[in-house]
Amino acid sequence: MMYADLHLHSHFSDGTYSPEELAAHARNQRLAAVALTDHDSVEGCARMATACDQLGVECVPGTELTAEHEGNELHLLGYFLDTRHPRLLRELARFQGVRQNRIREIVARLNHLQVPLQSEAVFALANCRSPGRPHVARALVRAGLCGTLDEAFDRFLKKHRPAWVPKCKMLAAEAIQLLHEAGGLAIMAHPGLNHNDKLIPQMVAAGLDGLECFHTKHSPAATVHYLALAKKYALLVTGGSDCHGHNKGRPLIGTIRLPHEHVTRLRERAAQLGAHAAQAPAPASLPNRPVPPQVSEFTPSPPSPWAAV
Ligand code: AMP
Ligand code: FE
Ligand code: FE
Ligand code: ZN
C-alpha cells in the first residue's frame, strides 16, 4: 500500500522543520506523497518540491488559509496551487502583514500584563513572514517567562486569555474562490475540530472540493463520520497529521496515513479544473542531487493598515 500525509507545516509558518527535513522524514516514513500546507504561505513549496523530488517523494503544493463563515472560524487547505499566482501571492502577503501586526498587538498586551517580551524577539525566533501564536509561546519559554508552551497558551494566548488577539480572516467563500482561481482545490481542514457540521453543506454550495477526514485530532468515529459526509456530498477525501514538528519526542509526520488513491483523485480533479501543478507527473526516480542551502533572512514588514480585528 502507498500512503500520503497531506497536512504539514514547516518553519515558513509555525512548524519547526525545514522543507528538506520534512522531505527526509517523509522518505524515512516511506510516504509516497506529502503536501506542505503552511498557514497563509506557499513560500516553502518550491524547496519542498525540490527536496521531495530528490528523494522520490511526490509533493503537492499547498497552503492552509484561516477563514470564517458567519462567525465560525474554519481552516481551508488548498492543494495543487499555482504557487506563483499573482493574486494568491498578494492575498497571502496581506494576511502575513496582518499576522505580523497581530504579533505586535499580542506582545503589547503581554507588556501591559508586565510580561517583558519584545516583538523583535518573536520575529527573530519565527524568522518567517507568517508568524503565529506558537512563535510567541516559544519566545516566552526561551525568555524564561513561561515554563512550557502549554503554559504560555493556557495563561496568555488561548482564546479568552488576556493576550489573545483574534485573527483577521477571509470569508470562507472568498477563500474557496481564491484557491480555485490559483488553480487549486479547496478542502475543509479538520472538520471534527469545528464542531459545526452545518457549515459543510454551506461550504459545498460555495464550491468546497473536499473534507479532511483523517486528522491527528479526529477519533476513529469522527473519521468514519466525515468519510460518510464526504460520500453524501460527493466530496474528495484528504488526510494528514498536521505536523508542526516533534510531538511527544517523535515527528508527527506520517502518523496519519492517507491511502494514496485519494491523492490520485485529488490530482485528477485538479487537472480537470486546469490546475497547472497537477499536470506535472509525480516523480518516479530517486536522483541524488545536492540539497540547496537554507535561506534564513527575514525582515518583518512595517505595520500594515490591516490591523488584526
Ligand atoms: P495562530 O495561527 O497564530 O492563531 O496559531 C494557531 C496555531 O497555534 C495552531 O496551528 C497550532 O499550531 C497552535 N496552537 C493553537 N492552540 C494551541 C494550544 N492550546 N497549545 C499549543 N499550540 C496551540
Ligand atoms: Fe499551526
Ligand atoms: Fe488548522
Ligand atoms: Zn495545520
Side-chain angles (χ1 to χ4, degrees):
M1 275 292 276
M2 299 212 300
Y3 293 101
D5 183 339
L6 299 183
H7 194 152
L8 304 172
H9 296 271
S10 76
H11 65 42
F12 283 96
S13 67
D14 57 5
T16 55
Y17 293 136
S18 66
E20 290 77 18
E21 287 169 327
L22 283 172
H25 281 300
R27 178 69 200 276
N28 288 343
Q29 297 280 335
R30 309 211 173 282
L31 291 168
V34 288
L36 185 64
T37 54
D38 274 314
H39 297 287
D40 298 329
S41 174
V42 291
E43 218 183 334
C45 289
R47 268 173 57 182
M48 186 76 174
T50 303
C52 283
D53 199 30
Q54 287 168 350
L55 297 172
V57 177
E58 181 182 354
C59 176
V60 177
T63 190
E64 181 174 13
L65 301 180
T66 312
E68 72 170 315
H69 182 72
E70 293 172 354
N72 305 287
E73 176 167 328
L74 59 130
H75 294 182
L76 289 164
L77 293 160
Y79 291 123
F80 292 108
L81 300 158
D82 172 2
T83 56
R84 293 195 235 171
H85 187 270
R87 190 166 90 84
L88 176 69
L89 293 178
R90 270 202 311 278
E91 293 292 336
L92 293 178
R94 182 163 70 82
F95 276 90
Q96 290 164 10
V98 169
R99 278 181 171 274
Q100 291 163 27
N101 276 348
R102 177 168 171 253
I103 297 294
R104 293 184 181 90
E105 177 68 24
I106 291 172
V107 170
R109 291 192 189 200
L110 286 168
N111 294 166
H112 190 71
L113 297 162
Q114 313 302 324
V115 179
L117 189 71
Q118 293 187 332
S119 50
E120 286 68 28
V122 182
F123 289 128
L125 180 146
N127 193 30
C128 75
R129 293 184 171 81
S130 201
R133 285 177 293 161
H135 297 118
V136 181
R138 286 174 210 157
L140 283 167
V141 172
R142 188 175 287 188
L145 296 164
C146 283
T148 62
L149 300 177
D150 280 345
E151 183 195 328
F153 270 94
D154 288 344
R155 275 176 66 195
F156 300 119
L157 302 171
K158 275 199 322 203
K159 196 168 183 179
H160 308 306
R161 290 292 183 262
W164 178 72
V165 177
K167 252 184 306 191
C168 175
K169 304 172 208 79
M170 199 175 225
L171 291 180
E174 287 176 11
I176 292 171
Q177 198 190 9
L178 174 65
L179 294 170
H180 285 167
E181 196 182 313
L185 301 171
I187 310 293
M188 187 186 284
H190 41 67
L193 305 189
N194 297 342
H195 307 294
N196 198 345
D197 287 357
K198 278 196 309 234
L199 296 178
I200 294 172
Q202 297 176 30
M203 291 300 101
V204 171
L208 189 75
D209 299 295
L211 274 190
E212 188 179 47
C213 299
F214 300 89
H215 184 273
T216 304
K217 294 195 174 158
H218 282 180
S219 65
T223 302
V224 169
H225 172 69
Y226 288 109
L227 285 169
L229 284 185
K231 195 164 178 193
K232 176 175 175 187
Y233 293 106
L235 291 167
L236 292 160
V237 168
T238 76
S241 62
D242 211 346
C243 172
H244 287 72
H246 269 61
N247 189 281
K248 300 193 174 91
R250 68 174 187 137
L252 204 61
I253 175 173
T255 52
I256 291 288
R257 301 178 85 79
L258 177 76
H260 184 272
E261 66 201 45
H262 294 293
V263 183
T264 305
R265 285 189 202 131
L266 288 164
R267 186 179 281 280
E268 285 169 0
R269 178 74 64 85
Q272 277 167 12
L273 295 175
H276 98 159
Q279 288 157 15
S285 62
L286 297 173
N288 200 7
R289 274 178 265 133
V291 175
Q294 297 206 7
V295 186
S296 62
E297 256 180 55
F298 165 69
T299 315
S301 45
S304 87
W306 284 82
V309 290

